[in-house]
Amino acid sequence: MTKVASLRWMVLLSGLSMAPPALADSTLLNVSYDPTRELYRDIDHAFVAAWKAKTGEVMTINQSHGGTGAQARAVIAGLEADVVTLALAYDIDAIARTGLLDRHWQDRLPYQSAPYTSTIVFLVRKGNPKRIRDWDDVARPGVEVITPNPKTSGGARWNYLAAWGYALDKYGRDEAKARRFVAAVYNNVPLLDAGARAAATTFVQRGLGDVLLAWEDEAMLAVEEMGGGQFEIVVPSMSILAEPPVAVVDKVVDKHGTRAAAEAYLRYLYSPEGQEIGARHHYRPRDPTVAARHAAEFPLVKLFTIETLGGWQKAQATHFNDGGVFDQITAGANP
Amino acid sequence: MSAAKSSVIPGFGPTLGFTLFYLGLVVLIPLAALLLRAAGLGWGQFVDAAFSARVLAAYRLSFGGALLAAAANVGAGLLVAWVLVRYEFPGRKLVDALVDLPFALPTAVAGIALTAIYAPNGPLGRLLLQAGIKVAFTPLGVVVAMVFIGFPFVVRTVQPVLQDLEVEHEEAAVSLGANRLQVFGRVILPAILPALLTGFALAFARALGEYGSVIFIAGNMPGLSEIAPLLIVTKLEQYDYAGATAIAAVMLVAAFTLLLLINTLQKWRHARLHGG
């Protein structure tokens, strides 16, 4: 109690006198999802230096990584995250429902609070032996498709919705036809790994499947790490704009007295330096100048957003909850 | 209470008190929280969540697979324990230590290793595929992973009992004209049966709750190779805590019943052998 009071007092004092804030060590916890380990390692390093240059304060940023849903549940259960950087707005919405942060969190930062984007692309074997060019080829009989389980993996939900959005567009928003199309895609899926990295392992290490549906950044990383040209990336004519969102957790930063640092940390993601680091890790930048610099790496593709499909809440309820479209089409495939 | 009075060993009160307190803290309170959450559902919702066709298929795989795996481990575990106790050979200590490895390995590592070996392009998977047997990404793969993680239990429960078994008993049986099969069936087996049953129960319980390693090798196709713990995780992903606990509660009650049955069986046998 007295500690909090004295902390407030200090913050107040430093604000009044406009003097540099007290040189107290400050700590932020960023709770994130799995594939962002490398990205945030670099971001944290750069931000700590920038923050020290600006305020003289030495920040420590701790990271926690895991499946996006599991991470959100941990925060709901009491993991004191100052900021959350997750794969789906749906998961931050779930945290917001408990009152830990403002319900309108997505309006607080530019671009619906998603500082960088990605999309869903195809990873195929060298020479593209099955001639996979677009979503129609993924739905073609005789093509084996590797994608994780949308019930357990956030990335898998993006994959599914990318196929769904393409089919809606192709069939003039006829949902019955779109459903048949997506059913054809999942009819080509021999197994459903629990997570995106596990699916990538199945495709890359186990040699299963003709095409892996993957985040663009993960696909580029796989090509980079494997080298030797074992795999190729195929960008479909149309895909979904994946917007992994970020948010400050109000209740936690107010308790820790870390709001200023946490907000600066998230804003840093939008800065030219932050955007450049994101682009180096194969996330599509928002900043036009940074985007122009990396234009060659990110092929143009017609992108649609989750909002055109009615938003995450509706997509989750329609497609992925028990008894939803995904359950119906897979129940048909495996009686 | 009468047990307390008749016992000559002092300290019954405090030790039982501590036992109940500890069991309550470590086992019962978390389980009660689980059941309480499941109780938040109406009966209809509970049945929908815990007994849909898909969930029933998952129970069949989880319970069937765990029973099969535990049975396989009883046979193999007994043999390994026998070899380790009864024979002297170079490297015995090493083999002895190897037995515990499935305990020490993080389950995800076990899952990845097993999948690598049994996948269609893995060293064993390729051979088995030629024989027309698919292991990875099928229910058979689930059983293989369950066998792996449950293996040490039977060995470690049977081994000490075998060690304490006096060879004189077997010699006496032989001198009375028993053949080898009779010695095993009438002398050795009755002595180690309780340990075997305990090992079976432990291996079964471990396999039933296993998630980490099985998930990699199962393939997780709805209605075909989904284990019950996966459906629990699936429900959690939808923030359906009540539905998840409904499945968990059913598994818990079923597992508890089975374990109780095994314990009762042991008690009954013990009573029959030793007259209470």
Side-chain angles (χ1 to χ4, degrees), chain A residues 69-70 72-73 76 90-91 94 149 151-152 157 189-194 198 202 205-208 316 320-322 327 330 334, chain B residues 54 112-113 115-117 119-122 137 211 215-216 218-224 226 230 233-241:
Chain A
R73 284 195 299 281
I76 290 170
Y90 172 73
D91 289 314
N149 192 342
K151 310 273 282 189
T152 51
R157 271 170 249 173
V189 176
L191 72 147
L192 291 164
D193 278 304
T202 297
Q205 312 282 349
R206 310 283 161 265
L208 248 70
Q316 175 74 28
F320 307 123
N321 278 0
D322 284 349
D327 277 355
T330 46
N334 299 286
Chain B
R54 187 168 172 192
I112 289 168
T115 312
I117 292 168
N121 72 347
F137 316 124
Y211 179 76
I215 220 65
F216 286 95
N220 308 322
M221 294 308 278
L224 187 74
E226 277 182 328
L230 172 69
V233 173
T234 297
K235 292 218 184 275
L236 287 177
E237 283 295 318
Q238 301 164 33
Y239 300 96
D240 179 6
Y241 290 92

Short mmCIF file of all heavy atoms in Angstrom, two decimals, chain A residues 69-70 72-73 76 90-91 94 149 151-152 157 189-194 198 202 205-208 316 320-322 327 330 334, chain B residues 54 112-113 115-117 119-122 137 211 215-216 218-224 226 230 233-241:
data_model
loop_
_atom_site.label_atom_id
_atom_site.label_comp_id
_atom_site.label_asym_id
_atom_site.label_seq_id
_atom_site.Cartn_x
_atom_site.Cartn_y
_atom_site.Cartn_z
N GLY A 69 -4.12 -18.52 -27.72
CA GLY A 69 -5.26 -18.73 -26.83
C GLY A 69 -4.82 -19.03 -25.41
O GLY A 69 -5.37 -18.50 -24.44
N ALA A 70 -3.80 -19.88 -25.28
CA ALA A 70 -3.30 -20.24 -23.96
C ALA A 70 -2.74 -19.01 -23.26
O ALA A 70 -2.91 -18.83 -22.04
CB ALA A 70 -2.22 -21.31 -24.08
N ALA A 72 -3.68 -15.85 -23.74
CA ALA A 72 -4.81 -15.00 -23.33
C ALA A 72 -5.44 -15.57 -22.05
O ALA A 72 -5.76 -14.81 -21.13
CB ALA A 72 -5.84 -14.93 -24.44
N ARG A 73 -5.58 -16.89 -21.98
CA ARG A 73 -6.18 -17.49 -20.79
C ARG A 73 -5.30 -17.25 -19.56
O ARG A 73 -5.79 -17.04 -18.46
CB ARG A 73 -6.42 -18.98 -21.00
CG ARG A 73 -7.62 -19.26 -21.88
CD ARG A 73 -8.05 -20.71 -21.78
NE ARG A 73 -7.00 -21.62 -22.20
CZ ARG A 73 -6.70 -21.89 -23.47
NH1 ARG A 73 -7.37 -21.31 -24.44
NH2 ARG A 73 -5.74 -22.72 -23.78
N ILE A 76 -5.95 -13.78 -18.40
CA ILE A 76 -7.25 -13.74 -17.73
C ILE A 76 -7.14 -14.33 -16.33
O ILE A 76 -7.71 -13.84 -15.37
CB ILE A 76 -8.31 -14.51 -18.56
CG1 ILE A 76 -8.61 -13.73 -19.85
CG2 ILE A 76 -9.58 -14.74 -17.75
CD1 ILE A 76 -9.45 -14.49 -20.84
N TYR A 90 -9.53 -11.58 -31.44
CA TYR A 90 -10.48 -12.39 -30.67
C TYR A 90 -9.96 -12.69 -29.27
O TYR A 90 -10.70 -12.65 -28.29
CB TYR A 90 -10.74 -13.68 -31.44
CG TYR A 90 -11.56 -14.71 -30.72
CD1 TYR A 90 -12.93 -14.53 -30.55
CD2 TYR A 90 -10.97 -15.86 -30.21
CE1 TYR A 90 -13.68 -15.47 -29.90
CE2 TYR A 90 -11.72 -16.81 -29.56
CZ TYR A 90 -13.08 -16.61 -29.40
OH TYR A 90 -13.83 -17.55 -28.75
N ASP A 91 -8.65 -12.98 -29.18
CA ASP A 91 -8.08 -13.33 -27.88
C ASP A 91 -7.96 -12.11 -26.98
O ASP A 91 -8.15 -12.21 -25.76
CB ASP A 91 -6.72 -14.01 -28.07
CG ASP A 91 -6.90 -15.41 -28.65
OD1 ASP A 91 -7.75 -16.15 -28.15
OD2 ASP A 91 -6.19 -15.74 -29.60
N ALA A 94 -11.27 -11.34 -25.58
CA ALA A 94 -11.61 -12.21 -24.45
C ALA A 94 -11.03 -11.64 -23.16
O ALA A 94 -11.66 -11.69 -22.10
CB ALA A 94 -11.08 -13.62 -24.69
N ASN A 149 -4.80 -27.54 -36.88
CA ASN A 149 -6.19 -27.64 -36.44
C ASN A 149 -6.74 -26.26 -36.05
O ASN A 149 -6.24 -25.66 -35.10
CB ASN A 149 -6.24 -28.58 -35.23
CG ASN A 149 -7.64 -28.98 -34.87
OD1 ASN A 149 -8.60 -28.34 -35.28
ND2 ASN A 149 -7.75 -30.07 -34.12
N LYS A 151 -9.19 -25.56 -34.46
CA LYS A 151 -9.77 -25.55 -33.13
C LYS A 151 -8.71 -25.25 -32.07
O LYS A 151 -9.03 -24.80 -30.98
CB LYS A 151 -10.42 -26.91 -32.82
CG LYS A 151 -11.35 -27.41 -33.90
CD LYS A 151 -12.77 -26.92 -33.76
CE LYS A 151 -13.54 -27.64 -32.73
NZ LYS A 151 -14.96 -27.28 -32.79
N THR A 152 -7.46 -25.55 -32.36
CA THR A 152 -6.42 -25.33 -31.36
C THR A 152 -5.39 -24.28 -31.77
O THR A 152 -4.58 -23.87 -30.95
CB THR A 152 -5.66 -26.63 -31.03
OG1 THR A 152 -5.23 -27.22 -32.26
CG2 THR A 152 -6.54 -27.61 -30.29
N ARG A 157 -6.68 -20.81 -38.04
CA ARG A 157 -7.93 -20.11 -38.30
C ARG A 157 -7.75 -19.11 -39.43
O ARG A 157 -8.63 -18.94 -40.27
CB ARG A 157 -8.40 -19.41 -37.02
CG ARG A 157 -9.28 -20.32 -36.18
CD ARG A 157 -9.55 -19.76 -34.81
NE ARG A 157 -8.86 -20.56 -33.82
CZ ARG A 157 -8.79 -20.25 -32.53
NH1 ARG A 157 -9.33 -19.16 -32.07
NH2 ARG A 157 -8.15 -21.06 -31.71
N VAL A 189 -6.68 -32.74 -46.43
CA VAL A 189 -5.81 -32.61 -45.25
C VAL A 189 -5.70 -33.96 -44.54
O VAL A 189 -6.70 -34.46 -44.04
CB VAL A 189 -6.37 -31.53 -44.29
CG1 VAL A 189 -5.54 -31.46 -43.02
CG2 VAL A 189 -6.40 -30.17 -44.97
N PRO A 190 -4.52 -34.58 -44.50
CA PRO A 190 -4.40 -35.92 -43.91
C PRO A 190 -4.30 -35.91 -42.39
O PRO A 190 -4.60 -36.91 -41.74
CB PRO A 190 -3.11 -36.46 -44.52
CG PRO A 190 -2.29 -35.25 -44.80
CD PRO A 190 -3.25 -34.14 -45.10
N LEU A 191 -3.85 -34.81 -41.79
CA LEU A 191 -3.76 -34.75 -40.34
C LEU A 191 -3.84 -33.30 -39.90
O LEU A 191 -3.55 -32.39 -40.69
CB LEU A 191 -2.45 -35.36 -39.83
CG LEU A 191 -1.19 -34.54 -40.10
CD1 LEU A 191 -0.20 -34.72 -38.98
CD2 LEU A 191 -0.56 -34.95 -41.40
N LEU A 192 -4.25 -33.09 -38.66
CA LEU A 192 -4.39 -31.73 -38.15
C LEU A 192 -3.47 -31.56 -36.95
O LEU A 192 -3.81 -31.95 -35.84
CB LEU A 192 -5.85 -31.47 -37.75
CG LEU A 192 -6.87 -31.41 -38.88
CD1 LEU A 192 -8.28 -31.56 -38.34
CD2 LEU A 192 -6.74 -30.13 -39.67
N ASP A 193 -2.31 -30.98 -37.16
CA ASP A 193 -1.40 -30.72 -36.04
C ASP A 193 -2.02 -29.68 -35.12
O ASP A 193 -2.86 -28.90 -35.51
CB ASP A 193 -0.06 -30.21 -36.56
CG ASP A 193 0.83 -31.35 -37.02
OD1 ASP A 193 1.07 -32.26 -36.21
OD2 ASP A 193 1.25 -31.34 -38.19
N ALA A 194 -1.55 -29.69 -33.85
CA ALA A 194 -2.15 -28.80 -32.85
C ALA A 194 -1.74 -27.35 -33.06
O ALA A 194 -2.49 -26.44 -32.72
CB ALA A 194 -1.80 -29.26 -31.45
N ALA A 198 4.12 -27.03 -35.44
CA ALA A 198 4.06 -28.49 -35.59
C ALA A 198 3.69 -28.85 -37.03
O ALA A 198 4.25 -29.80 -37.60
CB ALA A 198 3.04 -29.08 -34.62
N THR A 202 5.83 -31.02 -39.73
CA THR A 202 5.27 -32.15 -40.49
C THR A 202 5.60 -32.02 -41.97
O THR A 202 6.01 -32.97 -42.63
CB THR A 202 3.75 -32.21 -40.29
OG1 THR A 202 3.47 -32.45 -38.92
CG2 THR A 202 3.13 -33.32 -41.12
N GLN A 205 10.04 -31.45 -42.13
CA GLN A 205 10.88 -32.54 -41.63
C GLN A 205 10.34 -33.92 -41.99
O GLN A 205 11.10 -34.81 -42.34
CB GLN A 205 11.03 -32.47 -40.11
CG GLN A 205 11.39 -31.10 -39.56
CD GLN A 205 12.86 -30.79 -39.74
OE1 GLN A 205 13.64 -31.66 -40.09
NE2 GLN A 205 13.23 -29.53 -39.54
N ARG A 206 9.02 -34.10 -41.86
CA ARG A 206 8.44 -35.43 -42.12
C ARG A 206 8.20 -35.66 -43.60
O ARG A 206 7.87 -36.77 -44.00
CB ARG A 206 7.13 -35.63 -41.37
CG ARG A 206 7.13 -35.30 -39.92
CD ARG A 206 7.77 -36.34 -39.05
NE ARG A 206 8.09 -35.70 -37.78
CZ ARG A 206 9.28 -35.18 -37.51
NH1 ARG A 206 10.27 -35.26 -38.38
NH2 ARG A 206 9.50 -34.58 -36.36
N GLY A 207 8.26 -34.60 -44.39
CA GLY A 207 8.07 -34.76 -45.83
C GLY A 207 6.65 -35.08 -46.22
O GLY A 207 6.41 -35.63 -47.29
N LEU A 208 5.70 -34.76 -45.36
CA LEU A 208 4.30 -35.05 -45.69
C LEU A 208 3.67 -33.87 -46.42
O LEU A 208 3.93 -32.73 -46.10
CB LEU A 208 3.51 -35.32 -44.40
CG LEU A 208 3.03 -36.75 -44.21
CD1 LEU A 208 4.22 -37.65 -43.94
CD2 LEU A 208 2.06 -36.82 -43.06
N GLN A 316 -15.53 -16.72 -35.41
CA GLN A 316 -15.33 -17.78 -34.42
C GLN A 316 -16.63 -18.54 -34.18
O GLN A 316 -16.67 -19.77 -34.20
CB GLN A 316 -14.81 -17.17 -33.11
CG GLN A 316 -14.67 -18.14 -31.96
CD GLN A 316 -13.47 -19.07 -32.13
OE1 GLN A 316 -12.48 -18.71 -32.76
NE2 GLN A 316 -13.56 -20.28 -31.59
N PHE A 320 -15.76 -21.91 -36.04
CA PHE A 320 -14.84 -22.70 -35.23
C PHE A 320 -15.41 -23.22 -33.92
O PHE A 320 -14.88 -24.15 -33.35
CB PHE A 320 -13.56 -21.90 -34.95
CG PHE A 320 -12.94 -21.37 -36.21
CD1 PHE A 320 -12.71 -20.02 -36.38
CD2 PHE A 320 -12.62 -22.24 -37.25
CE1 PHE A 320 -12.16 -19.54 -37.54
CE2 PHE A 320 -12.07 -21.76 -38.42
CZ PHE A 320 -11.84 -20.40 -38.57
N ASN A 321 -16.48 -22.61 -33.42
CA ASN A 321 -17.04 -23.15 -32.19
C ASN A 321 -17.64 -24.53 -32.45
O ASN A 321 -17.88 -24.90 -33.60
CB ASN A 321 -18.10 -22.21 -31.63
CG ASN A 321 -17.49 -21.08 -30.82
OD1 ASN A 321 -16.27 -21.01 -30.67
ND2 ASN A 321 -18.31 -20.19 -30.30
N ASP A 322 -17.88 -25.29 -31.39
CA ASP A 322 -18.40 -26.64 -31.56
C ASP A 322 -19.69 -26.62 -32.36
O ASP A 322 -20.58 -25.82 -32.07
CB ASP A 322 -18.63 -27.28 -30.19
CG ASP A 322 -17.31 -27.71 -29.57
OD1 ASP A 322 -16.30 -27.70 -30.30
OD2 ASP A 322 -17.28 -28.06 -28.38
N ASP A 327 -16.59 -27.99 -38.01
CA ASP A 327 -16.99 -29.31 -37.49
C ASP A 327 -17.87 -30.03 -38.50
O ASP A 327 -17.75 -31.24 -38.69
CB ASP A 327 -17.76 -29.14 -36.17
CG ASP A 327 -16.82 -29.00 -34.98
OD1 ASP A 327 -15.61 -29.13 -35.21
OD2 ASP A 327 -17.30 -28.76 -33.87
N THR A 330 -15.71 -31.31 -41.52
CA THR A 330 -14.78 -32.40 -41.20
C THR A 330 -15.55 -33.64 -40.75
O THR A 330 -15.09 -34.76 -40.95
CB THR A 330 -13.76 -32.00 -40.12
OG1 THR A 330 -14.45 -31.35 -39.07
CG2 THR A 330 -12.69 -31.11 -40.68
N ASN A 334 -14.88 -37.38 -42.32
CA ASN A 334 -14.48 -38.55 -41.51
C ASN A 334 -15.67 -39.07 -40.72
O ASN A 334 -15.81 -38.75 -39.53
CB ASN A 334 -13.36 -38.17 -40.54
CG ASN A 334 -12.14 -37.70 -41.27
OD1 ASN A 334 -11.43 -38.49 -41.86
ND2 ASN A 334 -11.94 -36.40 -41.28
N ARG B 54 -18.70 -37.01 -31.14
CA ARG B 54 -17.27 -36.78 -31.32
C ARG B 54 -16.50 -37.02 -30.02
O ARG B 54 -15.41 -37.60 -30.02
CB ARG B 54 -17.10 -35.34 -31.77
CG ARG B 54 -15.71 -35.00 -32.14
CD ARG B 54 -15.73 -33.68 -32.84
NE ARG B 54 -14.38 -33.21 -33.07
CZ ARG B 54 -14.14 -31.97 -33.46
NH1 ARG B 54 -15.11 -31.13 -33.66
NH2 ARG B 54 -12.89 -31.59 -33.65
N ILE B 112 7.79 -35.70 -30.52
CA ILE B 112 8.48 -35.35 -31.76
C ILE B 112 9.39 -36.49 -32.20
O ILE B 112 9.44 -36.86 -33.38
CB ILE B 112 9.26 -34.03 -31.58
CG1 ILE B 112 8.28 -32.87 -31.48
CG2 ILE B 112 10.22 -33.81 -32.73
CD1 ILE B 112 8.88 -31.58 -31.02
N ALA B 113 10.09 -37.09 -31.23
CA ALA B 113 11.01 -38.19 -31.56
C ALA B 113 10.23 -39.38 -32.12
O ALA B 113 10.62 -39.96 -33.16
CB ALA B 113 11.78 -38.60 -30.30
N THR B 115 7.31 -39.38 -33.53
CA THR B 115 6.76 -39.04 -34.84
C THR B 115 7.83 -39.13 -35.91
O THR B 115 7.60 -39.63 -37.02
CB THR B 115 6.15 -37.63 -34.81
OG1 THR B 115 5.32 -37.51 -33.66
CG2 THR B 115 5.31 -37.37 -36.04
N ALA B 116 9.03 -38.63 -35.58
CA ALA B 116 10.12 -38.67 -36.55
C ALA B 116 10.43 -40.11 -36.97
O ALA B 116 10.69 -40.39 -38.14
CB ALA B 116 11.37 -38.00 -35.97
N ILE B 117 10.37 -41.04 -36.01
CA ILE B 117 10.71 -42.42 -36.30
C ILE B 117 9.60 -43.13 -37.07
O ILE B 117 9.84 -43.86 -38.02
CB ILE B 117 10.99 -43.18 -34.99
CG1 ILE B 117 12.27 -42.63 -34.35
CG2 ILE B 117 11.14 -44.67 -35.24
CD1 ILE B 117 12.46 -43.09 -32.94
N ALA B 119 6.96 -41.69 -38.74
CA ALA B 119 6.35 -41.00 -39.88
C ALA B 119 6.67 -41.78 -41.16
O ALA B 119 7.64 -42.54 -41.20
CB ALA B 119 6.88 -39.58 -39.98
N PRO B 120 5.84 -41.60 -42.20
CA PRO B 120 6.06 -42.37 -43.44
C PRO B 120 7.48 -42.23 -44.00
O PRO B 120 7.94 -43.11 -44.73
CB PRO B 120 5.04 -41.76 -44.40
CG PRO B 120 3.96 -41.24 -43.53
CD PRO B 120 4.62 -40.81 -42.26
N ASN B 121 8.19 -41.13 -43.69
CA ASN B 121 9.56 -41.01 -44.18
C ASN B 121 10.59 -41.30 -43.09
O ASN B 121 11.78 -41.13 -43.28
CB ASN B 121 9.80 -39.61 -44.80
CG ASN B 121 9.86 -38.52 -43.74
OD1 ASN B 121 9.50 -38.74 -42.60
ND2 ASN B 121 10.35 -37.35 -44.12
N GLY B 122 10.12 -41.75 -41.92
CA GLY B 122 11.04 -42.08 -40.82
C GLY B 122 11.62 -43.47 -41.02
O GLY B 122 11.09 -44.26 -41.80
N PHE B 137 0.20 -40.67 -37.09
CA PHE B 137 -1.03 -40.01 -37.55
C PHE B 137 -2.19 -40.99 -37.69
O PHE B 137 -3.07 -40.81 -38.52
CB PHE B 137 -0.79 -39.25 -38.86
CG PHE B 137 0.49 -38.46 -38.85
CD1 PHE B 137 1.47 -38.63 -39.82
CD2 PHE B 137 0.74 -37.55 -37.82
CE1 PHE B 137 2.66 -37.91 -39.77
CE2 PHE B 137 1.91 -36.83 -37.78
CZ PHE B 137 2.88 -37.01 -38.76
N TYR B 211 -1.03 -35.75 -22.85
CA TYR B 211 -1.38 -34.85 -23.95
C TYR B 211 -0.16 -34.57 -24.81
O TYR B 211 -0.16 -34.82 -26.02
CB TYR B 211 -1.94 -33.54 -23.38
CG TYR B 211 -2.31 -32.52 -24.44
CD1 TYR B 211 -3.46 -32.66 -25.20
CD2 TYR B 211 -1.49 -31.42 -24.69
CE1 TYR B 211 -3.79 -31.75 -26.17
CE2 TYR B 211 -1.83 -30.49 -25.68
CZ TYR B 211 -2.97 -30.66 -26.40
OH TYR B 211 -3.30 -29.75 -27.38
N ILE B 215 -0.13 -35.84 -28.84
CA ILE B 215 -0.68 -34.86 -29.77
C ILE B 215 0.14 -34.75 -31.05
O ILE B 215 -0.37 -34.45 -32.12
CB ILE B 215 -0.78 -33.49 -29.03
CG1 ILE B 215 -2.07 -32.85 -29.42
CG2 ILE B 215 0.37 -32.61 -29.24
CD1 ILE B 215 -3.27 -33.61 -28.96
N PHE B 216 1.43 -35.05 -30.94
CA PHE B 216 2.28 -34.94 -32.12
C PHE B 216 2.11 -36.10 -33.08
O PHE B 216 2.27 -35.96 -34.28
CB PHE B 216 3.75 -34.84 -31.70
CG PHE B 216 4.10 -33.52 -31.12
CD1 PHE B 216 4.09 -33.31 -29.76
CD2 PHE B 216 4.43 -32.46 -31.95
CE1 PHE B 216 4.40 -32.08 -29.22
CE2 PHE B 216 4.73 -31.22 -31.43
CZ PHE B 216 4.73 -31.03 -30.06
N ALA B 218 -0.63 -38.22 -33.14
CA ALA B 218 -2.01 -38.69 -33.34
C ALA B 218 -2.59 -38.34 -34.70
O ALA B 218 -3.36 -39.09 -35.27
CB ALA B 218 -2.91 -38.14 -32.23
N GLY B 219 -2.24 -37.17 -35.24
CA GLY B 219 -2.89 -36.72 -36.47
C GLY B 219 -4.16 -35.93 -36.19
O GLY B 219 -4.55 -35.10 -37.00
N ASN B 220 -4.79 -36.18 -35.04
CA ASN B 220 -5.89 -35.34 -34.54
C ASN B 220 -7.03 -35.15 -35.52
O ASN B 220 -7.56 -34.05 -35.66
CB ASN B 220 -5.36 -33.95 -34.13
CG ASN B 220 -4.19 -34.06 -33.19
OD1 ASN B 220 -4.17 -34.94 -32.33
ND2 ASN B 220 -3.21 -33.22 -33.36
N MET B 221 -7.41 -36.18 -36.26
CA MET B 221 -8.56 -36.05 -37.16
C MET B 221 -9.84 -36.29 -36.36
O MET B 221 -9.93 -37.29 -35.63
CB MET B 221 -8.46 -37.03 -38.32
CG MET B 221 -7.30 -36.76 -39.27
SD MET B 221 -7.22 -35.07 -39.88
CE MET B 221 -8.41 -35.14 -41.20
N PRO B 222 -10.84 -35.39 -36.52
CA PRO B 222 -12.07 -35.50 -35.74
C PRO B 222 -12.71 -36.88 -35.88
O PRO B 222 -12.84 -37.40 -36.99
CB PRO B 222 -12.98 -34.43 -36.34
CG PRO B 222 -12.05 -33.45 -36.94
CD PRO B 222 -10.85 -34.21 -37.40
N GLY B 223 -13.10 -37.46 -34.77
CA GLY B 223 -13.81 -38.74 -34.78
C GLY B 223 -12.94 -39.93 -35.08
O GLY B 223 -13.39 -41.06 -35.04
N LEU B 224 -11.66 -39.70 -35.39
CA LEU B 224 -10.80 -40.79 -35.81
C LEU B 224 -9.58 -40.93 -34.89
O LEU B 224 -9.34 -41.98 -34.31
CB LEU B 224 -10.36 -40.55 -37.26
CG LEU B 224 -9.58 -41.67 -37.90
CD1 LEU B 224 -10.52 -42.82 -38.23
CD2 LEU B 224 -8.90 -41.18 -39.19
N GLU B 226 -8.67 -38.34 -32.46
CA GLU B 226 -8.66 -37.30 -31.44
C GLU B 226 -8.71 -37.94 -30.06
O GLU B 226 -9.60 -38.76 -29.80
CB GLU B 226 -9.90 -36.40 -31.59
CG GLU B 226 -9.76 -35.32 -32.62
CD GLU B 226 -11.00 -34.43 -32.67
OE1 GLU B 226 -12.10 -34.92 -32.42
OE2 GLU B 226 -10.86 -33.25 -32.97
N LEU B 230 -7.37 -33.61 -25.99
CA LEU B 230 -7.34 -32.63 -27.07
C LEU B 230 -8.67 -31.87 -27.13
O LEU B 230 -8.69 -30.66 -27.35
CB LEU B 230 -7.08 -33.31 -28.42
CG LEU B 230 -7.22 -32.37 -29.63
CD1 LEU B 230 -6.10 -31.35 -29.66
CD2 LEU B 230 -7.25 -33.14 -30.94
N VAL B 233 -8.70 -29.20 -24.56
CA VAL B 233 -7.94 -28.03 -25.00
C VAL B 233 -8.74 -27.25 -26.04
O VAL B 233 -8.79 -26.02 -26.03
CB VAL B 233 -6.57 -28.46 -25.56
CG1 VAL B 233 -5.85 -27.27 -26.17
CG2 VAL B 233 -5.74 -29.09 -24.47
N THR B 234 -9.39 -27.99 -26.96
CA THR B 234 -10.21 -27.37 -27.99
C THR B 234 -11.29 -26.49 -27.39
O THR B 234 -11.53 -25.37 -27.81
CB THR B 234 -10.86 -28.48 -28.84
OG1 THR B 234 -9.82 -29.21 -29.47
CG2 THR B 234 -11.77 -27.92 -29.88
N LYS B 235 -11.93 -27.01 -26.35
CA LYS B 235 -12.99 -26.23 -25.71
C LYS B 235 -12.41 -25.01 -25.00
O LYS B 235 -13.01 -23.95 -25.00
CB LYS B 235 -13.77 -27.10 -24.71
CG LYS B 235 -14.58 -28.18 -25.41
CD LYS B 235 -15.91 -28.39 -24.74
CE LYS B 235 -16.69 -29.52 -25.35
NZ LYS B 235 -17.47 -29.10 -26.52
N LEU B 236 -11.25 -25.18 -24.41
CA LEU B 236 -10.61 -24.04 -23.75
C LEU B 236 -10.30 -22.94 -24.76
O LEU B 236 -10.41 -21.77 -24.46
CB LEU B 236 -9.34 -24.47 -23.03
CG LEU B 236 -9.55 -25.27 -21.75
CD1 LEU B 236 -8.22 -25.71 -21.17
CD2 LEU B 236 -10.31 -24.45 -20.73
N GLU B 237 -9.90 -23.34 -25.97
CA GLU B 237 -9.60 -22.35 -27.02
C GLU B 237 -10.83 -21.51 -27.34
O GLU B 237 -10.71 -20.41 -27.83
CB GLU B 237 -9.12 -23.05 -28.29
CG GLU B 237 -7.69 -23.53 -28.25
CD GLU B 237 -6.68 -22.40 -28.14
OE1 GLU B 237 -6.84 -21.40 -28.83
OE2 GLU B 237 -5.72 -22.55 -27.36
N GLN B 238 -12.01 -22.07 -27.10
CA GLN B 238 -13.24 -21.30 -27.33
C GLN B 238 -13.67 -20.58 -26.05
O GLN B 238 -14.78 -20.08 -25.98
CB GLN B 238 -14.37 -22.22 -27.76
CG GLN B 238 -14.09 -22.99 -29.02
CD GLN B 238 -15.05 -24.15 -29.21
OE1 GLN B 238 -16.21 -24.08 -28.82
NE2 GLN B 238 -14.58 -25.22 -29.81
N TYR B 239 -12.83 -20.59 -25.03
CA TYR B 239 -13.15 -20.02 -23.73
C TYR B 239 -14.40 -20.68 -23.14
O TYR B 239 -15.16 -20.07 -22.43
CB TYR B 239 -13.31 -18.49 -23.83
CG TYR B 239 -12.04 -17.85 -24.31
CD1 TYR B 239 -11.86 -17.55 -25.65
CD2 TYR B 239 -11.00 -17.62 -23.44
CE1 TYR B 239 -10.67 -17.01 -26.11
CE2 TYR B 239 -9.81 -17.07 -23.87
CZ TYR B 239 -9.65 -16.76 -25.21
OH TYR B 239 -8.47 -16.23 -25.65
N ASP B 240 -14.61 -21.95 -23.52
CA ASP B 240 -15.74 -22.72 -23.01
C ASP B 240 -15.23 -23.53 -21.81
O ASP B 240 -15.03 -24.74 -21.91
CB ASP B 240 -16.29 -23.62 -24.12
CG ASP B 240 -17.46 -24.47 -23.65
OD1 ASP B 240 -17.91 -24.28 -22.49
OD2 ASP B 240 -17.92 -25.33 -24.42
N TYR B 241 -14.99 -22.84 -20.69
CA TYR B 241 -14.41 -23.50 -19.52
C TYR B 241 -15.33 -24.60 -19.00
O TYR B 241 -14.90 -25.68 -18.62
CB TYR B 241 -14.14 -22.49 -18.40
CG TYR B 241 -13.01 -21.54 -18.69
CD1 TYR B 241 -13.24 -20.31 -19.29
CD2 TYR B 241 -11.70 -21.87 -18.36
CE1 TYR B 241 -12.19 -19.44 -19.57
CE2 TYR B 241 -10.65 -21.00 -18.62
CZ TYR B 241 -10.91 -19.78 -19.22
OH TYR B 241 -9.88 -18.92 -19.48
#
